[in-house]
């Protein structure tokens, strides 16, 4: 069997504007291969988060075409889009944890949202939270956790459904360098199991330590700078 | 070390949030008003039915001209004719005191001169049409000129008035239910705004619109149901307390108008309807918001 070389993420002349404002992203062309590990860099306000939102389907492009897993999004109905989202894990900059839910419930949310029973997801969730080092805080409220711990809950939630793509927006922005390293190692481990990883960061120190594709966003345009 | 605290699955939407409380109170008030209107309506219906039954079961003969103008007491002769036609039907001459009492609604408490002669009235059980025709011809042959009132005009008037009251009540109930839909819709929008973070997270993790809408349907349906229960129970208590105050509790009137088991069933239905209104409205608003959010992306 021939290996599948078609891109898992493809953006073709994609542009984005909010309302009637100016285009914050213009003519973005980008392709990511399955199982790749890539960084997205750029100054604050360059549009990194917006580009990630286009990929994890929280925003629709003003023009151009976004394809995921070989499917062109503009041709899909809302239900199909929601099903595609289940194949993407997202770790956003502000973690987006639900404060009244415990660490366990937050991490298990993707499985609960797909109608799985507690019995079906309990063991997996505990195992995953153990893996991110939070096995001793299952019943804790996210409000009682440190920034790094909250980040790890968000990661556990993002990988709960064993996604084919993991997108993280500034995952090390609010944690100390040591925790940043540990989080990155988690991502590398996921990548080794076949997950495509795409991380937005402006932490140059971090970038220098990992071999990965690098995309750079400046003035709304994207350039692929290097593969280190 | 593993956390061994038993973990209970918390609801995805938090319970007892401050923004949901106004909805509870307003829905309870709406249900109270609807239940009160319904209960009074049902009481009115029973009174009207009881009046109509009474009227349909009796007739009144008014003597216009007696066979013998010099006879001071022609009533018993007419009763004889009635007995001839139908011995089983009850008939009696209305006493002068009762005749005067019948005039009171028209002329008030005006003192009538004692020597003012009042028309002779005979009250009898309602006769079937063939017997009535027979009686009319017998009286005519005997020289009596009478007016037989089968109370159909009264019954029609009561029916017409009751229909007016029914329409009025229906209008009130419809207004309240429409207002309840608007209130539910407004409250859902406000809670959706407050829970936008949860909706966003659910959407990111691939929850379908149906799943998200279901959360709001069960939350608001349950809230509406609880509020409607409170409103209906308070309305029932109000009617019972009102009965004590106006003094029909323990009277014959209570047998007619007092709350019945069927009223409780109707109140139960109303409670369910209010819950359904809240739930369905919440579901509709949630789905439209999710659709709008997608369009505006």
């Amino acid at each position: 069997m021939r290996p599948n070389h078609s891109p898992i993420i493809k953006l073709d002349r994609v542009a984005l504007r909010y309302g009637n404002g100016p285009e914050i992203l213009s003519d973005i062309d980008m392709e990511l291969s399955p199982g790749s590990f890539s960084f997205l860099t750029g100054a604050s306000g360059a549009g990194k988060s917006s580009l990630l939102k286009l990929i994890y389907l929280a925003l629709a492009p003003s023009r151009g075409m976004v394809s995921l897993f070989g499917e062109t999004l503009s041709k899909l109905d809302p239900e199909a889009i929601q099903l595609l989202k289940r194949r993407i894990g997202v770790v956003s900059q502000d973690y987006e944890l639900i404060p009244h839910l415990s660490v366990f419930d937050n991490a298990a949310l993707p499985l609960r949202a797909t109608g799985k029973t507690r019995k079906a997801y309990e063991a997996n969730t505990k195992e995953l939270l153990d893996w991110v080092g939070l096995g001793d805080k299952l019943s804790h409220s996210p409000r009682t956790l440190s920034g790094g711990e909250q980040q790890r809950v968000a990661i556990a939630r993002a990988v709960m459904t064993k996604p084919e793509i993991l997108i993280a927006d500034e995952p090390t922005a609010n944690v100390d360098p040591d925790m940043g390293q540990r989080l990155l190692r988690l991502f590398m481990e996921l990548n080794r199991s076949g997950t495509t990883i795409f991380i937005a960061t402006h932490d140059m120190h971090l970038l220098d330590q990992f071999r990965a594709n690098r995309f750079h966003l400046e003035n709304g345009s994207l350039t692929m700078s290097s593969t280190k | 070390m593993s956390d061994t605290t038993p973990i209970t699955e918390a609801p995805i939407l938090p319970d007892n949030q401050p923004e949901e409380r106004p909805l509870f109170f307003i829905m309870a008030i709406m249900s109270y008003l609807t239940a009160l209107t319904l209960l009074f309506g049902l009481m009115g219906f029973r009174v009207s039915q009881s009046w109509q039954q009474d009227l349909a079961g009796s007739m009144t003969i008014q003597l216009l001209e007696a066979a013998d103008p010099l006879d001071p007491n022609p009533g018993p002769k007419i009763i004889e004719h009635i007995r001839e036609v139908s011995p089983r039907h009850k008939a009696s001459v209305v006493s002068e005191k009762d005749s005067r009492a019948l005039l009171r609604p028209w002329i008030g408490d005006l003192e009538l001169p004692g020597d003012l002669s009042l028309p002779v009235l005979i009250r009898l059980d309602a006769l079937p049409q063939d017997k009535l025709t027979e009686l009319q011809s017998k009286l005519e042959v005997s020289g009596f000129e009478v007016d037989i009132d089968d109370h159909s005009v009264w019954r029609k008037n009561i029916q017409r008035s009751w229909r007016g009251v029914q329409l009025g009540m229906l209008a009130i109930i419809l207004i309240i239910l429409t207002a309840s839909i608007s209130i539910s819709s407004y409250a859902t929008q406000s809670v959706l705004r407050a829970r936008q973070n949860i909706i966003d997270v659910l959407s990111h993790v691939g929850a379908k619109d149906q799943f998200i809408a279901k959360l709001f349907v069960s939350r608001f349906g349950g809230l509406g149901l609880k509020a409607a229960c409170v409103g209906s129970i308070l309305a029932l208590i109000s009617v019972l307390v009102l009965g004590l105050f106006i003094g029909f509790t323990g009277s014959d009137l209570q047998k007619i108008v007092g709350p019945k088991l069927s009223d409780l069933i109707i109140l139960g239905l109303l409670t369910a309807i209010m819950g359904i209104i809240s739930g369905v409205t919440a579901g509709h608003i949630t789905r439209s918001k999710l659709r709008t959010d997608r369009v505006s992306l």
Side-chain angles (χ1 to χ4, degrees):
Chain A
M1 207 168 90
R2 271 190 2 206
N4 183 5
H5 292 300
S6 59
I8 195 165
I9 299 171
K10 184 178 177 188
L11 275 67
D12 187 9
R13 297 180 66 78
V14 165
L16 178 72
R17 69 167 84 232
Y18 289 104
N20 295 322
E23 278 190 349
I24 54 161
L25 296 174
S26 308
D27 295 323
I28 303 284
D29 289 315
M30 189 182 103
E31 285 189 6
L32 291 185
S33 314
S36 59
F37 194 118
S38 313
F39 284 114
L40 174 66
T41 59
S44 281
K48 298 194 293 293
S49 297
S50 297
L51 180 59
L52 294 188
K53 281 180 182 172
L54 284 172
I55 296 170
Y56 68 76
L57 312 176
L59 287 177
S62 329
R63 61 185 167 82
M65 197 180 73
V66 177
S67 305
L68 290 174
F69 311 105
E71 307 256 23
T72 305
L73 297 182
S74 54
K75 292 177 184 164
L76 296 176
D77 61 36
E79 190 145 319
I81 287 181
Q82 287 310 100
L83 291 178
L84 273 193
K85 283 183 180 178
R86 294 180 186 177
R87 299 165 70 184
I88 308 169
V90 180
V91 182
S92 63
Q93 201 170 352
D94 52 2
Y95 321 133
E96 289 188 330
L97 299 178
I98 300 176
H100 74 278
L101 295 182
S102 66
V103 164
F104 176 89
D105 277 339
N106 265 290
L109 200 62
L111 294 175
R112 211 168 150 186
T114 54
K116 294 262 188 312
T117 60
R118 187 185 169 87
K119 204 175 162 189
Y121 64 72
E122 188 166 351
N124 275 352
T125 309
K126 283 181 175 170
E127 192 183 318
L128 201 54
L129 284 167
D130 265 338
W131 178 67
V132 295
L134 291 171
D136 58 338
K137 294 193 169 163
L138 301 179
S139 59
H140 287 219
S141 159
R143 281 181 280 237
T144 64
L145 303 181
S146 68
E149 286 171 329
Q150 289 188 34
Q151 187 72 290
R152 281 183 279 156
V153 180
I155 292 169
R157 186 181 64 194
V159 300
M160 184 57 70
T161 51
K162 300 189 175 72
E164 290 154 69
I165 300 172
L166 181 75
I167 290 168
D169 191 0
E170 302 283 4
T172 57
N174 301 315
V175 294
D176 59 59
D178 183 45
M179 181 51 69
Q181 295 282 338
R182 283 175 62 191
L183 290 177
L184 257 293
R185 271 193 286 278
L186 272 179
F187 291 131
M188 296 297 276
E189 205 174 314
L190 281 168
N191 181 241
R192 274 197 292 277
S193 67
T195 307
T196 305
I197 310 274
F198 192 43
I199 298 173
T201 184
H202 60 263
D203 184 347
M204 300 311 285
H205 177 69
L206 197 77
L207 287 169
D208 291 338
Q209 297 174 55
F210 293 94
R211 178 181 166 77
N213 299 324
R214 289 190 198 175
F215 292 90
H216 185 69
L217 200 55
E218 196 170 344
N219 297 326
S221 298
L222 190 73
T223 50
M224 189 173 177
S225 56
S226 64
T227 303
K228 226 189 148 197
Chain B
M1 200 177 77
S2 190
D3 184 356
T4 52
T5 315
I7 306 160
T8 49
E9 193 175 63
I12 294 176
L13 292 178
D15 277 331
N16 296 320
Q17 291 304 292
E19 57 272 14
E20 290 170 9
R21 277 175 217 146
L23 174 70
F24 180 85
F25 286 117
I26 295 170
M27 286 302 276
I29 292 167
M30 291 295 182
S31 305
Y32 175 77
L33 294 174
T34 315
L36 215 54
T37 312
L38 258 178
L39 285 171
F40 281 130
L42 290 166
M43 286 158 73
F45 172 72
R46 283 196 285 272
V47 169
S48 125
Q49 288 290 95
S50 165
W51 281 351
Q52 287 191 60
Q53 268 167 19
D54 284 353
L55 288 171
S58 68
M59 291 175 155
T60 306
I61 296 175
Q62 183 186 351
L63 180 61
L64 301 174
E65 203 176 310
D68 178 1
L70 299 173
D71 183 356
N73 191 17
K77 287 196 181 67
I78 296 173
I79 287 177
E80 268 176 39
H81 285 300
I82 295 168
R83 297 255 154 79
E84 280 168 23
V85 172
S86 178
R88 285 180 298 126
H89 282 75
K90 281 186 205 157
S92 62
V93 179
V94 177
S95 70
E96 196 178 319
K97 190 182 156 202
D98 288 347
S99 293
R100 283 176 188 273
L102 285 172
L103 289 173
R104 200 166 294 133
W106 311 101
I107 61 168
D109 286 331
L110 194 71
E111 203 51 54
L112 289 171
D115 58 350
L116 180 74
S117 67
L118 293 172
V120 173
L121 295 175
I122 288 139
R123 199 172 278 152
L124 68 152
D125 289 350
L127 292 173
Q129 191 54 47
D130 57 330
K131 302 262 182 199
L132 188 64
T133 316
E134 193 186 337
L135 176 64
Q136 271 173 323
S137 42
K138 264 187 189 296
L139 290 171
E140 209 178 305
V141 168
S142 311
F144 287 102
E145 195 184 324
V146 293
D147 174 54
I148 301 179
D149 180 5
D150 62 357
H151 301 156
S152 58
V153 177
W154 281 78
R155 273 186 284 147
K156 274 182 193 148
N157 282 342
I158 291 175
Q159 270 172 357
R160 212 172 291 141
S161 309
W162 168 240
R163 231 170 272 145
V165 172
Q166 262 182 323
L167 282 175
M169 281 180 351
L170 202 66
I172 292 171
I173 290 172
L174 281 177
I175 289 168
I176 297 173
L177 292 182
T178 313
S180 306
I181 293 173
S182 310
I183 290 161
S184 285
S185 146
Y186 179 77
T188 308
Q189 281 166 349
S190 133
V191 173
L192 279 173
R193 273 193 296 274
R195 303 281 161 266
Q196 188 61 51
N197 60 333
I198 298 177
I199 295 169
D200 286 344
V201 173
L202 286 170
S203 183
H204 289 168
V205 299
K208 290 184 184 171
D209 289 3
Q210 204 185 347
F211 177 85
I212 300 172
K214 220 165 121 187
L215 294 176
F216 284 88
V217 167
S218 55
R219 167 57 51 85
F220 282 97
L223 199 74
L225 208 62
K226 272 189 227 163
C229 271
V230 170
S232 298
I233 290 168
L234 285 178
L236 197 61
I237 293 171
S238 300
V239 167
L240 295 173
V241 170
L242 201 70
L244 277 175
F245 271 106
I246 61 173
F248 78 66
T249 304
S251 71
D252 286 344
L253 192 61
Q254 191 192 10
K255 284 180 196 145
I256 301 168
V257 298
K260 303 270 184 293
L261 182 68
S262 58
D263 295 0
L264 296 179
I265 295 168
I266 292 171
L267 282 185
L269 278 175
L270 168 76
T271 307
I273 288 170
M274 293 302 262
I276 290 168
I277 285 178
S278 290
V280 169
T281 310
H284 175 71
I285 295 290
T286 310
R287 270 189 285 269
S288 354
K289 191 196 175 328
L290 292 169
R291 262 197 306 271
T292 316
D293 284 355
R294 233 184 340 256
V295 169
S296 64
L297 284 180

